[in-house]
Amino acid sequence: MTLMTMGADQLEEARISTAGRASRTLHSGLHLRQTLIALTAGTRMDEHQSPGDATVHCLRGHVTLRTRERTIAVGEGELIDAPPERHDVVADQDSLFILTVAVA
C-alpha cells in the first residue's frame, strides 16, 4: 500500500470520526517514530509539549502550529521543524501530515 493510499484511508477515517482526526504509526524504532496524521478542516490538536526533536511534513492540505509567541503555517509539500515549546495544531483544511519524532 502506498503512503498516499494510506493517507486517503486516514482522511476518510477522520471524516467519520467524531474527533475529526485519525492517525497511524508508520515506523516506531529505537530512535525514530513516524506517525501519519489526518485532520479534518477546523480540527484542533490541543496544546501539548513537543516531545523533542521533531518535524512536520504536510502531504496534503494546510495546518497551522501555534505557540504563545508565533504562528507557523505549513502548506502542502512543506517540511518544518516542530517548535520545541508548547503548541497546538489546527487544520485549516482537510489535511494529512507525517510527524517524525526522535525518540530518546
Side-chain angles (χ1 to χ4, degrees):
M1 180 180 296
T2 69
L3 183 59
M4 292 311 285
T5 300
M6 282 189 278
D9 291 347
Q10 289 304 118
L11 275 170
E12 193 55 40
E13 189 175 324
R15 288 180 183 120
I16 61 174
S17 167
T18 57
R21 64 182 177 193
S23 63
R24 176 180 180 165
T25 300
L26 299 174
H27 173 79
S28 184
L30 291 175
H31 304 289
L32 189 70
R33 183 177 63 243
Q34 291 183 301
T35 307
L36 181 64
I37 301 172
L39 301 175
T40 57
T43 298
R44 176 179 179 260
M45 293 176 64
D46 291 335
E47 185 178 80
H48 55 279
Q49 183 62 41
S50 180
D53 287 340
T55 62
V56 173
H57 182 186
C58 187
L59 301 175
R60 180 174 172 186
H62 190 277
V63 296
T64 302
L65 285 74
R66 299 180 302 192
T67 71
R68 289 185 179 177
E69 298 181 7
R70 60 188 174 141
T71 299
I72 305 165
V74 189
E76 193 167 307
E78 294 182 322
L79 172 70
I80 61 129
D81 290 328
E85 63 265 26
R86 292 188 65 77
H87 62 276
D88 68 2
V89 179
V90 177
D92 303 307
Q93 52 190 253
D94 286 0
S95 300
L96 180 66
F97 61 96
I98 296 175
L99 173 65
T100 301
V101 177
V103 179

